[in-house]
Amino acid sequence: MEPIGFFDILTRMAVQFTPVWISLVALFALSITFKRRLGLYGKLFDSTIGMIGFALVMFWVFTGVYAGAFDMIATFGPLEQVSGMKNKLPGTPLSGAEAGDYPYYLLGGDNLARDVFSRMVKGAWIVVQIAPLATLFAFMVGITLGLPAGYYGGKLDTFLSFLANLILAFPVILLFYLLVTPEIVMTGLPQFMATVLFFFPIIFFGVLIQSRYRPQPQKKWIWLAAVLIPLLIVYISAINAKGSKIAFSPIDLFDIPPGILVVFVSVVFVNSPTVFRIVRGLTLDIKTRDYVAAAQTRGERPWYIMLWEILPNARGPLIVDFCLRIGYTTILLGTLGFFGLGLPPESPDWGTTINEGRKLLAVYPHPALPPAFALLTLVLGLNLLADGLREESLRD
Amino acid sequence: MGLFILRRVGVMILTALCLTYIVFFMTNLYPNLEKLAKTQGNFRMSDEAVASWLDKRGYLQSTPKKYAEWLGVAPSYRYEDPDGKVIGRCIDPGVDPADAPNFCGILQGYWGYSTVFKDTVASIIGTRLGLTGILMFWVFVLMVPTALILGVLAGMREGSRTDRTLSTISIASTATPEYVSGVIFIALLASSRFGISPILKEWGWIDGRTLFKGTATSAMENPNFENFFLPVLTIALYGMGYIARMTRASMAEVMTAQYIRTARLKGVKFSNIVMRHALRNALIAPFTVIMLQIPWLLNGVVIVETLFNYKGFGWTLVQAAGNNDIELLLGVSVVSVIVVLVTQLISDIGYVFLNPRIRIS
């Protein structure tokens, strides 16, 4: 068989992405039809930039979900090696193809004869899983510490701000190199950090419910039980791993691979001080407003004011920053992969693939370029989305 | 003002102490020390051999004690062989132990000895920092004017088509991390088989095999356009978008100010309004951003120096961290922490000088 040309490759890739196109069209059709009833999300569809960004982001989200969870789109397995396909150019027909095999390596083969296209698509799943979740955790930490720092001020603020500046003064890559090495993983340090960092969502939700339903104890206890018990089980399962430093609990629903855990923890750790500073700044600004004074006069507790008066009014900038920060987290994950830290070397995530591909870059650029473009478009999408959201939320 | 600077310097020193202590603690965790012993001694050492190797060199003391020694506030550890030979941190080979100083640490100007490069940390950091300095200089030469021009052009007519285009460009540039743009540039411009180089070669426009070089190793002795442009461009591109956006925001804000409206009503030409009236006030905010961008560039420097194999400060950081070269890593972190903190201080002080409306009590 002959290698296929440029347009053939594009067409075949577009065909592979069919489920993604269908989902995108359905999502956009639904959202545009009901955009007046969807609040800020609906307003996003008034701005072209925001829609482009949202489309890019959702493209990779759908790709990740379909490829990772349902095993669609990808033409080969991410670790499948086919002899004779090493460093082959895009569009090379599969050597020794049997019936049922996809007949081409659409974006060529890498230096271990794996399909570049499938690895890029599978890599999306890793990024789509880790980046938003890590950002969410960073927000939990940042909000839980930033609100009291801004609201109370004083010594607490000085201390927390000092800590935040301390972490921010660290060059990120040095921190990664210190945290994400097999030797450090052996000492259990990432697990201890996870123990602290993962506890913040529990505090956050606990205080959130406690401050809201304090006058109605019965309702409060139901809510607390309904939210905190599952959270605690997940928390214990997350930090507990057999054969590691923390292995105490009989309940252990799942184990996070140590590589993923350390990457996750370090990304959360690096992101939370910035979130802390943003939340603190917003709190300092909002606490001078009249409705806060009104709540204080009513005799509301400080935590009620922080979580139910100040936080909802800070949501605009926080949502925008959330989008930007997912992008930044994606970049950080790529950086970790680029230096070969954390994730195993055969992992198909984009950073690791770029790192693998850069060694032969001048001779065979095709294995490194697809993950590079994938990362670029996802981060660009998130930035455009944030820009669109900012514009729309400023408008009213 | 004096008091303000004094307080900031105090906080700075405290921060630097805390950070170096953290680095010290992490590099001195036992598995790291074990790795160090095995790479320095031999890989098949037994656990007892590792312990005695570490003990001889004073690595098994408590961390605060070792930190104080490294800092130079405690007398450094000495080990006496059964046959009377004394070894220690302060005793260079061939120097009589009696003549060697008791204290040797950062405060005495002794930065330690790199186990990977077999050289003193001070001299390694000196040369590497010089190389990175050249890189950073050209990055700034390229980045700052481009970013300011982009920002001013976009911000002077907010909402216009120019503004939209330029803003999208700057968003795209902030969304492109160095390892992505670097890889794309090398594939497009520095590959002899792909991208534009073979085409240019065929047309006879370039003499060499490629338009630019994919590595900057030769730029360490002899930086020129061919081998140095791509690394500089790669770093500059990522930082540029952010400065441009800040400049745009600040320019757009200034353009709506009362005095600009007055100037327009007087009939001053638009170019004059921008150049004479708006620019100075619009450039206050970007100044802070540019200064705060330096620590960010440090990340870019590490990535780009690794990607282009330019053996500067960032490359040294990767080597030191990858091989657990404790003293070199500490030296590198001291320097980078100082860079970060000093730029923060300068940006704060500069902001006050540029903007007379701000008073520090």
Side-chain angles (χ1 to χ4, degrees):
Chain A
M1 272 201 291
E2 288 291 301
I4 49 175
F6 182 68
F7 287 102
D8 244 357
I9 296 176
L10 278 190
T11 326
R12 278 175 176 271
M13 281 198 329
V15 171
Q16 279 311 113
F17 279 118
T18 316
V20 177
W21 304 130
I22 296 173
S23 317
L24 271 182
V25 169
L27 178 71
F28 268 73
L30 277 178
S31 309
I32 292 178
T33 319
F34 297 110
K35 71 177 173 186
R36 289 288 157 256
R37 292 191 224 158
L38 290 169
L40 182 63
Y41 168 75
K43 278 198 205 126
L44 186 64
F45 292 86
D46 289 334
S47 108
T48 325
I49 295 254
M51 277 208 292
I52 296 173
F54 188 62
L56 283 173
V57 174
M58 288 321 285
F59 174 82
W60 285 114
V61 171
F62 284 134
T63 306
V65 171
Y66 288 135
F70 301 105
D71 209 17
M72 293 150 91
I73 300 175
T75 48
F76 293 90
L79 299 178
E80 205 176 314
Q81 292 167 303
V82 178
S83 66
M85 296 305 286
K86 185 176 165 186
N87 290 328
K88 284 287 182 286
L89 292 180
T92 311
L94 189 71
S95 69
E98 289 169 22
D101 283 345
Y102 194 81
Y104 297 100
Y105 264 20
L106 283 176
L107 292 175
D110 65 5
N111 63 341
L112 291 172
R114 298 170 299 198
D115 182 34
V116 173
F117 174 73
S118 307
R119 285 177 67 77
M120 174 191 77
V121 171
K122 291 276 183 188
W125 180 228
I126 300 181
V127 175
V128 165
Q129 275 177 302
I130 299 184
L133 203 60
T135 316
L136 197 66
F137 271 83
F139 264 76
M140 292 285 174
V141 178
I143 289 173
T144 317
L145 295 176
L147 282 174
Y151 187 77
Y152 291 117
K155 285 218 174 68
L156 179 76
D157 182 25
T158 316
F159 175 69
L160 288 176
S161 296
F162 178 75
L163 274 189
N165 288 337
L166 199 68
I167 300 170
L168 286 178
F170 239 115
V172 177
I173 291 173
L174 179 63
L175 198 67
F176 283 161
Y177 259 108
L178 289 176
L179 274 178
V180 192
T181 55
E183 284 78 24
I184 297 279
V185 175
M186 254 162 62
T187 61
L189 189 72
Q191 264 184 313
F192 294 125
M193 285 173 71
T195 314
V196 177
L197 291 176
F198 289 1
F199 201 66
F200 278 95
I202 299 180
I203 302 178
F204 177 78
F205 283 112
V207 179
L208 194 72
I209 296 165
Q210 160 76 22
S211 59
R212 177 72 179 175
Y213 292 116
R214 210 177 55 87
Q216 301 147 278
Q218 208 174 0
K219 225 174 172 179
K220 182 182 91 181
W221 289 115
I222 295 171
W223 271 103
L224 277 177
V227 173
L228 289 193
I229 290 173
L231 270 183
L232 268 172
I233 293 173
V234 172
Y235 170 74
I236 289 171
S237 312
I239 60 165
N240 200 56
K242 268 202 197 70
S244 68
K245 294 273 173 183
I246 303 178
F248 64 92
S249 148
I251 320 163
D252 195 358
L253 301 180
F254 54 88
D255 276 343
I256 305 174
I260 303 267
L261 182 77
V262 69
V263 165
F264 195 88
V265 166
S266 44
V267 170
V268 173
F269 188 68
V270 168
N271 265 324
S272 359
T274 331
V275 181
F276 165 83
R277 291 233 292 214
I278 294 168
V279 175
R280 176 181 166 272
L282 287 169
T283 313
L284 279 177
D285 175 27
I286 294 176
K287 80 171 179 186
T288 57
R289 304 279 168 89
D290 287 344
Y291 50 79
V292 174
Q296 282 164 339
T297 328
R298 267 201 322 267
E300 302 285 6
R301 296 293 179 102
W303 275 103
Y304 178 86
I305 298 176
M306 283 183 242
L307 287 169
W308 293 94
E309 301 278 350
I310 293 178
L311 190 59
N313 286 296
R315 69 180 184 282
L318 285 183
I319 292 171
V320 171
D321 187 70
F322 188 71
C323 289
L324 284 177
R325 202 147 292 283
I326 297 177
Y328 181 58
T329 310
T330 312
I331 292 181
L332 283 182
L333 286 175
T335 312
L336 279 167
F338 180 79
F339 286 106
L341 295 168
L343 296 164
E346 75 277 1
S347 148
D349 76 289
W350 296 336
T352 313
T353 331
I354 295 175
N355 183 34
E356 286 277 301
R358 78 181 161 98
K359 285 158 196 159
L360 286 172
L361 198 55
V363 200
Y364 299 113
H366 65 270
L369 284 180
F373 276 113
L375 200 141
L376 173 60
T377 43
L378 175 61
V379 179
L380 181 64
L382 284 162
N383 276 275
L384 292 178
L385 177 63
D387 210 53
L389 280 175
R390 181 186 298 129
E391 233 163 65
E392 292 305 319
S393 68
L394 280 180
R395 196 164 285 177
D396 47 37
Chain B
M1 189 72 192
L3 198 69
F4 165 75
I5 294 177
L6 211 67
R7 259 188 60 187
R8 283 298 303 265
V9 171
V11 174
M12 235 173 80
I13 292 171
L14 190 61
T15 314
L17 283 177
C18 289
L19 283 179
T20 46
Y21 187 78
I22 295 171
V23 178
F24 200 89
F25 173 76
M26 304 262 271
T27 45
N28 275 283
L29 287 171
Y30 194 76
N32 274 336
L33 290 177
E34 199 179 328
K35 187 174 149 200
L36 178 80
K38 284 187 174 165
T39 43
Q40 289 302 304
N42 80 62
F43 278 99
R44 282 186 293 279
M45 270 205 247
S46 65
D47 287 352
E48 295 83 61
V50 167
S52 86
W53 190 92
L54 290 174
D55 187 39
K56 268 188 199 169
R57 283 154 187 81
Y59 282 118
L60 294 184
Q61 308 170 79
S62 71
T63 311
K65 174 83 176 28
K66 278 186 287 183
Y67 181 69
E69 282 174 21
W70 173 78
L71 210 59
V73 292
S76 86
Y77 183 81
R78 288 177 179 216
Y79 175 82
E80 203 175 329
D81 269 3
D83 45 333
K85 203 174 146 238
V86 179
I87 55 169
R89 215 175 95 93
C90 306
I91 307 163
D92 290 329
V95 176
D96 185 21
D99 296 339
N102 263 329
F103 293 87
C104 57
I106 292 289
L107 295 177
Q108 283 80 26
Y110 179 81
W111 288 63
Y113 189 80
S114 158
T115 50
V116 173
F117 293 97
K118 309 285 177 214
D119 196 357
T120 57
V121 170
S123 82
I124 296 175
I125 288 186
T127 45
R128 303 298 177 190
L129 212 52
L131 287 171
T132 298
I134 302 172
L135 182 64
M136 292 290 261
F137 172 75
W138 288 110
V139 167
F140 269 77
V141 166
L142 180 66
M143 179 177 79
V144 174
T146 325
L148 291 183
I149 291 171
L150 279 182
V152 168
L153 283 181
M156 68 187 191
R157 286 185 214 267
E158 202 187 357
S160 65
R161 182 166 293 182
T162 331
D163 177 27
R164 298 247 161 226
T165 323
L166 292 180
S167 296
T168 314
I169 291 175
S170 28
I171 292 178
S173 101
T174 39
T176 320
E178 294 89 350
Y179 51 88
V180 167
S181 49
V183 161
I184 294 175
F185 285 146
I186 293 181
L188 279 184
L189 305 174
S191 163
S192 56
R193 295 182 51 187
F194 299 92
I196 62 165
S197 295
I199 303 171
L200 291 180
K201 171 89 176 147
E202 205 170 290
W203 291 351
W205 285 18
I206 47 171
D207 298 330
R209 291 174 59 230
T210 56
L211 180 60
F212 292 108
K213 287 224 164 65
T215 93
T217 317
S218 56
M220 289 190 296
E221 274 105 44
N222 171 31
N224 56 31
F225 189 67
E226 194 190 7
N227 59 19
F228 215 43
F229 182 65
L230 284 189
V232 169
L233 180 67
T234 308
I235 303 180
L237 202 63
Y238 186 52
M240 202 170 71
Y242 192 59
I243 302 180
R245 297 191 71 178
M246 288 297 147
T247 319
R248 175 191 171 273
S250 138
M251 186 72 190
E253 200 191 319
V254 170
M255 288 306 278
T256 58
Q258 294 287 338
Y259 69 92
I260 297 288
R261 203 172 65 176
T262 316
R264 296 196 85 162
L265 291 175
K266 276 197 313 196
V268 182
K269 262 186 8 196
F270 187 70
S271 55
N272 266 346
I273 293 178
V274 172
M275 299 301 288
R276 294 249 176 97
H277 297 75
L279 211 54
R280 206 197 118 129
N281 282 322
L283 291 185
I284 294 173
F287 169 79
T288 332
V289 177
I290 291 169
M291 289 313 292
L292 292 179
Q293 201 71 0
I294 293 176
W296 279 82
L297 289 180
L298 205 66
N299 272 329
V301 164
V302 178
I303 294 171
V304 164
E305 286 184 357
T306 312
L307 183 62
F308 287 92
N309 208 14
Y310 181 79
K311 298 187 169 88
F313 187 70
W315 182 84
T316 314
L317 190 157
V318 171
Q319 295 301 319
N323 297 306
N324 200 41
D325 188 341
I326 298 178
E327 300 201 317
L328 183 57
L329 194 56
L330 282 165
V332 167
S333 41
V334 169
V335 172
S336 43
V337 164
I338 289 176
V339 168
V340 172
L341 296 175
V342 167
T343 48
Q344 281 176 358
L345 185 68
I346 294 177
S347 91
D348 279 5
I349 297 171
Y351 196 66
V352 177
F353 269 113
L354 286 176
N355 192 349
R357 276 172 296 186
I358 290 189
R359 293 268 174 276
I360 288 170
S361 48

